Amino acid sequence: MSTQPSKNLDTFPNPHPGRDYIIEIESPEFTCLCPKTGQPDFATLSLEYVPDRLCVELKSLKLYIWSYRHEGHFHEDVTNRILSDLVAVLQPRYMRLRAKFNVRGGLYTTVEVVHRQSGWNSPPPPPADLPREIQELPAREAPAATPAKAPAVSVATAPKPRDPVPLAEPAAPVATPPKPRNPVPLTEPAVPAAPAPPASNRFRMLRRTHRSEPPPTAATIIEPAPPEPVVRQDGLYIGIDLGTTGCRAIAVDASGTIKAEMSAPIAAPLRKDDQVTQDPTVWWKAVSGCLQNLLKEIDPARVRALAVDGTSGTLLLSDNKGNPVTPAIMYNDRRAVEQADTIATLADTNSGAQGAGSSLAKLLWLHERKLDKRATHALHQSDWISGRLTGRYGHSDYNNCLKLGFDAEKMAWPKWVNKLGLNVTLLPEVHVPGEPLETVSADIAKNFGLPADTQVLAGTTDGVAAFLAAGATEPGHAVTVLGTTLVLKLLSDKPVFSLEHGIYSHRLGKYWLAGGASNSGGAVLLQYFKVEQMQEMTPLLDPENFTELDYYPLPDIGERFPVNNPEMMPRLEPLPGNSITFFQGMLEGIGRIEAQGYKLLEKLGAPAITTVYTAGGGAKNPAWERIRERILRVKMEKARSKHAAYGSALLAAGIVAKTYQ
């Protein structure tokens, strides 16, 4: 049989002509061109029919559907045309074709057409109790992804007990031990020393020794020591990664070897204009499902610690028991523009709280609408999940708190936050990532079969966790996360900030992770292609020859990095004559955004990139890797793991403690 597109439909005799039964066929890869613009239209075809004398042969149907890829058709016309051709060849007793087209200009189109043979008495649709045969069109094999191997990592030895890091004025003597969660005016370490009231426990780092000891006085900022490892040689350690549409949990042993992993979907956030929200309870449903399935693959009694990462800038308010009093405002929500302008008049230009995407701007938006009246805690995604595990809320880490205004250089909440008029008691207590928070609650231990002394450690953001998972260890090493968005992280010996370009730096021990997140990435690809389509087209790409299409792919209006412009428009023209070229042009455009980002970081003082590790779903595409390698002109390395959950697992195991100290 031919393997070229064809309008010929082959048939074979119905093996059971004396019985009514239904055949269902689904093709998620239908493509034709818009007759007005020439831009590709993509649809899922669902065919259902009751055969009479003949059945359609699937390979010929695949080639028939393929033949429309370079033809221009209106949605309504092409759906009717396909049904008419099938009816002419098969003469079925009943046939229904449903074509669900992907978004175009903000609109989804679904066309459904039906044929019933004269004299066939069953009403449409056919009776539900008929025997049903479900078939799928044969698809080309997608290139298999080579699983990343996790080499053994040396376990960090426990450092000597350390004093807590003061997050208030370092030079101010503390008269009495601080009382937990007692709100006080936020202080600025650079202010000359003067007698000060007791510092709130909310603004101090936890440590292993007794909390009530007064912090030491000092004339300069005290650098935070790395968290103490909690490694036991026979133990297992779990990392949990929360994304926008999915959750993943990975268990490792003390050497970092993966022992089991599980994933679960999360319902997509709700979008309304600039507002993007999500119900936090769907996070817990996904996390608990992942944990339950993961613990079936390992011995729960061996679990020693867990750590959680989540999307940076996502914020919700909860009461004192952790019950959400607002939906979660997602990282890419853009409602707080006016509040961001207010923050900009007060905050240092290097503050991570700059911009409408910051969690501080979202908190101010909620405060101005009095939606924080019943709240006790302002929490990030990973903070809330950690609270569900321990039963204690109001704790975070200095990576997540960067966009809430926390100054990771001075290790303090800045004084200007007071001027916003917020209820500062909502702000979480800040910890070093990897530092123990609390053991799991009695209910969690019972429900999941975990030991009662299982520790929950302070987590981090998903971008930092992905960096930890990749294996980068030296300044100049960079990690590109090809996920829903494009995230760049470059290990630097000093922080780099640029509000103009959307650049900020996360602290990582003695180093810094300089970078930013572009709105470009997998989200825009999924607006035009299904995952199966991209897998099928990948072997047909030509990475050694660029398309010369000057695309800047964005899923919507607005960009964060390397251009910080909320009004920036996507650029996806001119349109090529086929979907494969269109796909490659988009991949090249995202690659150029990546290169522009790293060049900008170098220009602003970060080291030049020497090696790039790749994580995220896009890391599975070998043609895209070659395209990026040609654009970046640096050595490309496979990430030790492509999953941020692995980075959180290493954090839980204490393995990364000495790497960056």
Side-chain angles (χ1 to χ4, degrees), residues 410-441:
K410 298 177 180 177
M411 295 304 297
W413 291 99
K415 190 174 180 179
W416 58 260
V417 172
N418 268 332
K419 299 178 182 179
L420 294 172
L422 293 168
N423 178 6
V424 296
T425 64
L426 296 175
L427 298 176
E429 187 174 319
V430 181
H431 305 264
V432 174
E435 196 164 0
L437 298 178
E438 185 61 80
T439 57
V440 294
S441 68

Side-chain angles (χ1 to χ4, degrees), residues 269-278 312-315 327-337 339-340 355-359 361-363 365-366 519 560:
L270 300 176
R271 293 176 177 269
K272 183 180 180 182
D273 300 325
D274 290 335
Q275 300 188 10
V276 187
T277 60
Q278 201 166 41
S312 173
T314 296
L315 185 84
I329 303 180
M330 298 303 290
Y331 66 94
N332 54 345
D333 185 287
R334 308 300 295 178
R335 73 181 74 182
V337 175
Q339 291 71 29
S358 76
S359 44
K362 294 162 188 167
L363 179 59
W365 186 93
L366 293 167
N519 287 339
R560 297 178 289 167

